[in-house]
């Protein structure tokens, strides 16, 4: 157990050191919401917290309880080493890139109270309306099918509707922040009611919480305040919403409100929220690097590794239409082994360093919201990078549409 604890402390120490280095000579946005902070948040949530839970006997790994305790113990160490290599290479590349290219004094982001013009509002209203209609269409379809939500994107129509649905996510976060700044709380509540009711039909609760979080972050940048107490309260409320959404969505789908109380009363919903949904990334990575049963192929860095991973370790589940996250370091390992983890980590460090240069210069509202929308997708280290790249593009594409129509002159 001493080795496992030491590896956890080593990762945390590395994070603290590099956060100190990245927070030097930056602006407010870089001090609290830099790309490195985003990466660290996801590493802690998806990989370090599961480590803390798993190091104690019987060395639990989510979904791998059928393996012996000694095997799981060794797997944990392999997983910890791989995460440390990914984290350290990412951090070194990030700090190096910034130190080489960041020559100018960072500029504070300043947005006035009317950061949206009348033309901006018209564009965002249309984006929101079209996107919400697509979400409602997806929700109605989801209510009529049996199985996982992933079935919605099996057809071309489903893929197209899902891509356009991101327009609502993006415009919602912008409009909500604007209404709060202008103190138009009735409009903010109406916007929230329309968006949340559409999202609940699809069961994609993250599509509701991330736009809310993005609005909150923008407001923090707008007022240049980072209130720890308020953030803690909002974080607790968001976790509570996550906890309640599962039974609520079951009740809506089944059309029986009693299902909500039954689920809430008989299930360990916090355990279902965390252990079954979010903490399997460390398990999948540990399984991957410990058994090393898949032949490495560098082409997977560009084509994705989910198929190889699932077909090797979970073929029956994959045949049912469900796929797990290989994780970013897991993808790199299936591509080039341990060297791939270092190279992939360095790549994301350079990408993060480049983005950090952007937020240290004056950004437009479009650029800021595009950046905030991009980061949860780019830093989703527990998922599948290549396989989700199209979703990443779709998520920030509304910013491109906004910019294009903003430049077009019309009567």
């Amino acid at each position: 157990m001493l080795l496992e604890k030491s590896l956890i402390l080593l990762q945390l120490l590395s994070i603290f050191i590099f956060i100190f280095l990245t927070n030097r000579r930056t602006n407010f946005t870089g001090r609290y919401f830099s790309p490195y902070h985003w990466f660290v948040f996801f590493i802690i949530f998806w990989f370090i917290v599961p480590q803390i839970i798993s190091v104690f006997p019987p060395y639990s790994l989510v979904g791998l309880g059928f393996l012996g305790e000694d095997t799981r113990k060794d797997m944990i160490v392999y997983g910890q080493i791989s995460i440390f290599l990914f984290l350290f290479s990412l951090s070194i590349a990030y700090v190096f890139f910034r130190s080489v290219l960041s020559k100018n004094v960072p500029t504070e982001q300043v947005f006035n109270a009317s950061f949206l013009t009348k033309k901006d509002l018209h564009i965002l209203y249309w984006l929101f309306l079209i996107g919400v209609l697509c979400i409602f269409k997806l929700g109605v379809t989801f209510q009529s099918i049996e199985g996982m939500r992933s079935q919605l994107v099996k057809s071309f129509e489903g893929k197209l509707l899902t891509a356009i649905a991101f327009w609502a996510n993006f415009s919602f976060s912008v409009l909500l922040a604007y209404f709060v700044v202008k103190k138009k709380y009735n409009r903010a509540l109406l916007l929230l009611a329309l968006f949340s009711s559409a999202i609940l039909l699809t069961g994609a609760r993250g599509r509701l919480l991330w736009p809310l979080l993005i609005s909150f972050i923008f407001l923090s940048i707008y007022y240049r305040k980072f209130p720890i107490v308020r953030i803690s309260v909002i974080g607790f409320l968001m976790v509570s919403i996550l906890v309640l959404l599962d039974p609520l969505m079951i009740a809506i789908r089944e059309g029986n409100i009693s299902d909500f109380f039954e689920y809430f009363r008989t299930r360990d919903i916090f355990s279902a929220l965390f252990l079954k949904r979010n903490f399997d990334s460390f398990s999948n990575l540990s399984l991957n690097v410990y058994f090393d049963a898949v032949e490495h192929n560098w082409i997977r860095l560009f084509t994705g590794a989910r198929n190889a991973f699932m077909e090797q370790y979970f073929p029956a589940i994959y045949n049912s239409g469900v796929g797990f996250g290989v994780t970013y370091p897991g993808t790199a390992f299936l591509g080039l082994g341990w060297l791939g983890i270092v190279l992939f980590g360095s790549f994301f460090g350079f990408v993060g360093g480049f983005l950090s240069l952007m937020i240290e210069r004056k950004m437009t509202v479009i650029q800021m919201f595009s950046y905030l929308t991009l980061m949860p997708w780019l830093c989703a280290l527990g998922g599948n990078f290549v396989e989700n790249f199209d979703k990443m593009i779709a998520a920030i594409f509304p910013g491109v549409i906004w910019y294009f129509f903003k430049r077009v002159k019309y009567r």
Side-chain angles (χ1 to χ4, degrees):
M1 187 186 296
L2 180 60
L3 176 60
E4 295 93 322
K5 288 183 177 180
S6 299
L7 288 172
I8 292 174
L9 291 175
L10 182 62
Q11 294 170 70
L12 292 174
L13 180 62
S14 299
I15 288 173
F16 286 131
I17 291 174
F18 283 107
I19 282 182
F20 172 77
L21 293 175
T22 57
N23 276 5
R24 298 173 60 191
R25 198 172 162 275
T26 187
N27 57 13
F28 177 86
T29 308
R31 194 155 52 249
Y32 296 106
F33 307 110
S34 74
Y36 190 76
H37 289 88
W38 283 95
F39 279 120
V40 164
F41 171 79
F42 282 99
I43 287 175
I44 291 175
F45 184 76
W46 265 327
F47 296 106
I48 294 184
V49 173
Q51 288 178 51
I52 295 173
I53 294 174
S54 64
V55 296
F56 298 98
Y59 298 102
S60 61
L61 284 170
V62 177
L64 302 177
F66 58 91
L67 298 172
E69 182 176 324
D70 291 337
T71 301
R72 295 198 305 269
K73 181 179 178 180
D74 293 338
M75 289 172 61
I76 289 170
V77 174
Y78 273 74
Q80 288 179 302
I81 294 173
S82 59
I83 282 298
F84 175 74
L85 286 176
F86 185 84
L87 168 65
F88 193 76
S89 57
L90 185 153
S91 304
I92 290 291
Y94 184 92
V95 172
F96 174 78
F97 193 94
R98 288 184 73 253
S99 63
V100 169
L101 296 183
S102 182
K103 303 297 183 183
N104 300 323
V105 177
T107 303
E108 288 292 349
Q109 307 295 343
V110 179
F111 302 99
N112 58 43
S114 298
F115 58 84
L116 295 182
T117 64
K118 188 175 181 179
K119 186 174 183 179
D120 290 325
L121 289 172
H122 288 166
I123 297 170
L124 291 168
Y125 284 148
W126 276 108
L127 287 174
F128 180 77
L129 177 61
I130 296 171
V132 162
L133 290 175
C134 289
I135 296 174
F136 271 116
K137 171 62 176 175
L138 289 169
V140 171
T141 304
F142 181 56
Q143 302 304 312
S144 63
I145 64 175
E146 296 291 337
M148 304 292 291
R149 190 171 60 246
S150 58
Q151 293 184 10
L152 291 174
V153 293
K154 297 296 184 181
S155 64
F156 174 77
E157 180 188 11
K159 292 177 180 178
L160 181 62
L161 289 173
T162 301
I164 300 177
F166 282 108
W167 300 6
N169 296 43
F170 186 96
S171 54
F172 168 79
S173 60
V174 182
L175 290 170
L176 183 65
Y178 179 74
F179 290 150
V180 171
V181 168
K182 302 297 285 186
K183 294 183 172 56
K184 297 179 179 180
Y185 301 119
N186 290 337
R187 294 189 184 184
L189 290 174
L190 176 61
L191 190 77
L192 177 60
L194 287 172
F195 185 63
S196 59
S197 59
I199 290 293
L200 282 176
L201 286 176
T202 66
R205 55 191 183 178
R207 302 286 173 87
L208 169 61
L209 292 180
W210 277 116
L212 285 172
L213 181 61
I214 289 169
S215 293
F216 177 78
I217 292 175
F218 178 82
L219 290 172
S220 182
I221 295 171
Y222 176 86
Y223 292 111
R224 268 184 275 181
K225 293 180 180 179
F226 192 71
I228 298 297
V229 175
R230 189 176 301 175
I231 289 172
S232 301
V233 171
I234 290 176
F236 175 78
L237 290 175
M238 285 191 168
V239 171
S240 301
I241 292 172
L242 279 174
V243 167
L244 293 174
L245 281 182
D246 260 350
L248 180 59
M249 287 186 293
I250 290 175
I252 292 174
R253 191 170 188 184
E254 298 295 331
N256 188 353
I257 194 62
S258 64
D259 288 350
F260 171 80
F261 299 103
E262 186 68 21
Y263 184 95
F264 193 86
R265 185 170 56 250
T266 59
R267 300 282 184 89
D268 186 353
I269 51 180
F270 280 97
S271 175
L273 170 65
F274 290 106
L275 298 181
K276 294 182 180 179
R277 288 182 176 267
N278 299 314
F279 283 176
D280 62 342
S281 298
F282 182 66
S283 300
N284 295 339
L285 176 61
S286 300
L287 178 71
N288 195 0
V289 298
Y290 177 75
F291 286 102
D292 193 10
V294 181
E295 183 179 357
H296 302 158
N297 189 338
W298 63 270
I299 198 66
R300 294 195 184 103
L301 299 177
F302 303 95
T303 61
R306 181 179 58 192
N307 289 344
F309 173 77
M310 290 299 299
E311 288 171 358
Q312 174 63 40
Y313 297 108
F314 304 101
I317 295 176
Y318 200 43
N319 289 334
S320 70
V322 178
F324 301 151
V326 186
T327 75
Y328 289 13
T331 298
F333 184 80
L334 289 177
L336 291 172
W338 294 100
L339 175 62
I341 293 178
V342 174
L343 294 178
F344 221 44
S346 300
F347 167 76
F348 283 102
F350 283 123
V351 171
F354 173 78
L355 291 173
S356 73
L357 299 181
M358 291 180 55
I359 65 173
E360 289 179 356
R361 297 172 181 146
K362 187 171 178 57
M363 300 177 71
T364 64
V365 178
I366 300 176
Q367 291 172 330
M368 179 59 72
F369 275 100
S370 297
Y371 164 74
L372 295 176
T373 303
L374 170 67
M375 294 316 294
W377 289 98
L378 179 65
C379 301
L381 305 177
N384 303 296
F385 175 69
V386 178
E387 289 83 353
N388 288 336
F389 191 77
D390 55 345
K391 294 181 181 179
M392 190 184 310
I393 299 300
I396 63 173
F397 190 68
V400 178
I401 299 175
W402 182 8
Y403 176 80
F404 173 78
F405 281 103
K406 187 178 176 66
R407 303 280 294 182
V408 173
K409 293 183 179 181
Y410 69 100
R411 292 182 181 179

